[in-house]
Amino acid sequence: MQDDNISEFKANDQNIVENKELNFIEALIPVVILMAMLAYNIFFVESQEWFGTYTNQIILLLGGAAAAIVGLFNKVSVKPMIKEIWENLQSVFVPIMILFLVGALAGTWLVSGVIPAMVYYGLQVLSPAIFLPASVIICAIISIATGSSWTTSATVGIALIGIGSALGISPGMIAGAVISGAYFGDKMSPLSDTTNLAPAMAGTDLFTHIRYMTFTTVPTVIITLIAFGIMSATIETTGSADISGLLTSIEGTFNITPMLFIVPLVVIVLILFKTKPLIALVTGVILAAIFAFIFQSNVLNGLADSNFTAIIKSILTDTQITTDNDKLNDLFSAGGMQGMLWTILLICCAMVFGGIMDAIGALSRLTKALLKLATSVFGLFASTVISCLGLNAIASDQYLALVIPGKMFKKAYEDKGLAPENLSRTLEDSGTVTSVLIPWNTCGAYQSGVLGVGVGEYFVYAIFNWLSPFTTLFFAALNIKIRMLKDKSL
């Protein structure tokens, strides 16, 4: 592992174990059991928390236990299983550190006023004549700043639905614009858990992943903006987009100044100069803490007895900034490092499941079967896309739609000489963004419930989301920006 690629997986660089004793059906048993438990949890457990908050993590561990039993039946001892699990867990140490820093960054950017400033200035680009593309841009900015499509939809998204409906615009169109922008930001933000999870599964680093995603993501969002621009030009709007209440609430709570943009700009510059992710993120946290002391002393005073304590709290645990506007209160909250524990535990449990599947030879057996269907580079990309879409529908969870194909296909991409960022980009293009298009997926159910618009109503208007898989397949078919392992640069 090279020093610059600090978040890539060491364990995944090893050859997947082959076991001639294991046949395809036996290799498939742990996957079937895993899917069956997930399906039971989705369709028969009312709260979808069969085992509490960490249901998906426990199901992954149970799937690992099933794989271990299959392995023991096929003459695989416990020792190699433990060895593979340990190597996998060792390999995610740096990604876990990055995730903790992402949580710290989100908290400090909130209390320093960086995120509120982005919301404040983002809202002001709203104009009735360009309402739909403006909604995409606003949600994209806020989602990039927060790393959360869910929070963006539940706050500004709700406000945009209300404003747009008053202007006579179809709620399905508005919801499609909100979701397109929110998932663009979620996909491209270093604060997003899925943006961290995809490169962790594929074996590349966070910022290489983000840079490589721009090749497919930017054309997709441009097409999306053009489409919404045409829609805005062909529909009649009435009334006015009054956002003065939101702006007044933000101004009344935070000291808003363009100077706050220095913090994200410094981090962006560091990323562009290929600074190590840990250094870039730590710099962002430290700068935000300094700016919080300088610009937001009133906010810090309301969080703790001392400003220093308030900063530490924002780094480590939940932070809630209360305004006089209920729509903003959910937006101005962050989980700190503690908020990343769910994703970190999911990664660790996935490494247990994947480690055992490696050790018993199941991944090798399944990968060979998949490769028979993916004889070309395009076939491999297509198989990945289909797997992600299928898992979003079957498992109903976007995290598992990244974790399982990421682990399964990594070796296949290596065998064809493809750099790991090809896999991480494809996982996001087909796994992250399409989850919201499935009504029974957690993302689809959440977004339709929060926005008050059914998936069937916004599906066709969530252009960015359904177009992304086609874009990645288009690039693969024409061999555009497909990086090989032998390449030294993009």
Side-chain angles (χ1 to χ4, degrees), residues 167-196:
L167 296 173
I169 302 173
S170 163
M173 287 186 181
I174 306 167
V178 168
I179 289 169
S180 292
Y183 274 82
F184 167 81
D186 193 323
K187 182 183 175 188
M188 297 301 291
S189 173
L191 303 179
S192 168
D193 46 8
T194 56
T195 308
N196 282 270

Side-chain angles (χ1 to χ4, degrees), residues 212 377 380-381 412-422 479 481-490:
Y212 201 66
V377 169
L380 184 57
F381 278 85
Y413 277 73
E414 290 177 355
D415 288 344
K416 289 193 177 293
L418 295 165
E421 47 266 37
N422 291 287
N479 197 30
K481 294 300 180 182
I482 304 301
R483 187 182 183 190
M484 309 305 290
L485 285 169
K486 63 183 178 181
D487 295 339
K488 297 297 183 182
S489 64
L490 293 175

Side-chain angles (χ1 to χ4, degrees), residues 154-400:
T155 52
V156 176
I158 293 175
L160 290 171
I161 289 288
I163 295 167
S165 297
L167 296 173
I169 302 173
S170 163
M173 287 186 181
I174 306 167
V178 168
I179 289 169
S180 292
Y183 274 82
F184 167 81
D186 193 323
K187 182 183 175 188
M188 297 301 291
S189 173
L191 303 179
S192 168
D193 46 8
T194 56
T195 308
N196 282 270
L197 186 60
M201 291 298 102
T204 187
D205 70 271
L206 173 63
F207 294 127
T208 295
H209 168 61
I210 292 174
R211 287 194 298 268
Y212 201 66
M213 277 200 299
T214 60
F215 295 123
T216 56
T217 303
V218 171
T220 304
V221 79
I222 289 173
I223 294 171
T224 300
L225 288 170
I226 292 172
F228 279 117
I230 294 171
M231 290 181 205
S232 288
T234 56
I235 58 176
E236 294 183 3
T237 60
T238 57
S240 62
D242 184 10
I243 58 172
S244 59
L246 294 173
L247 299 180
T248 300
S249 295
I250 296 172
E251 286 179 320
T253 306
F254 296 92
N255 177 19
I256 300 298
T257 168
M259 293 286 288
L260 294 168
F261 285 96
I262 292 174
V263 178
L265 285 175
V266 168
V267 175
I268 290 170
V269 169
L270 289 174
I271 293 170
L272 291 176
F273 280 91
K274 299 185 178 181
T275 305
K276 293 181 179 181
L278 286 176
I279 294 176
L281 294 174
V282 168
T283 302
V285 171
I286 293 173
L287 275 179
I290 294 171
F291 274 56
F293 281 114
I294 296 172
F295 294 105
Q296 312 297 342
S297 58
N298 59 322
V299 173
L300 297 178
N301 289 336
L303 293 175
D305 294 335
S306 70
N307 289 355
F308 180 77
T309 302
I311 291 292
I312 296 301
K313 179 183 176 184
S314 71
I315 292 173
L316 297 177
T317 187
D318 294 337
T319 301
Q320 174 69 61
I321 309 295
T322 303
T323 71
D324 59 4
N325 192 309
D326 291 337
K327 294 178 181 178
L328 294 172
N329 289 339
D330 287 338
L331 180 61
F332 295 152
S333 63
M337 290 184 175
Q338 184 183 33
M340 288 294 172
L341 287 176
W342 192 93
T343 302
I344 289 168
L345 287 173
L346 182 71
I347 291 175
C348 291
C349 292
M351 291 301 97
V352 172
F353 175 75
I356 297 174
M357 289 286 284
D358 268 344
I360 69 173
L363 286 184
S364 176
R365 183 66 64 187
L366 293 172
T367 301
K368 286 183 177 180
L370 289 169
L371 285 176
K372 290 180 181 178
L373 302 175
T375 56
S376 64
V377 169
F378 175 77
L380 184 57
F381 278 85
S383 296
T384 308
V385 170
I386 292 170
S387 296
C388 291
L389 294 174
L391 281 164
N392 262 327
I394 297 169
S396 298
D397 186 279
Q398 68 172 351
Y399 296 105
L400 294 176

Side-chain angles (χ1 to χ4, degrees), residues 439-455:
W440 56 86
N441 187 286
T442 52
C443 294
Y446 174 85
Q447 296 288 354
S448 61
V450 165
L451 297 176
V453 182
V455 174

Side-chain angles (χ1 to χ4, degrees), residues 115-128:
I115 290 175
M118 289 182 174
V119 174
Y120 180 83
Y121 291 109
L123 283 171
Q124 293 184 68
V125 305
L126 191 65
S127 169

Side-chain angles (χ1 to χ4, degrees), residues 15-31 63-85 352-366 408:
N15 293 325
I16 295 179
V17 177
E18 293 194 25
N19 183 0
K20 294 181 179 179
E21 300 286 336
L22 191 73
N23 60 45
F24 176 77
I25 299 298
E26 290 172 329
L28 199 60
I29 288 174
V31 177
I69 293 172
V70 171
L72 292 172
F73 181 78
N74 283 276
K75 302 177 182 179
V76 179
S77 67
V78 174
K79 186 176 179 180
M81 298 184 204
I82 295 175
K83 180 176 179 290
E84 287 290 335
I85 291 171
V352 172
F353 175 75
I356 297 174
M357 289 286 284
D358 268 344
I360 69 173
L363 286 184
S364 176
R365 183 66 64 187
L366 293 172
M408 294 292 211

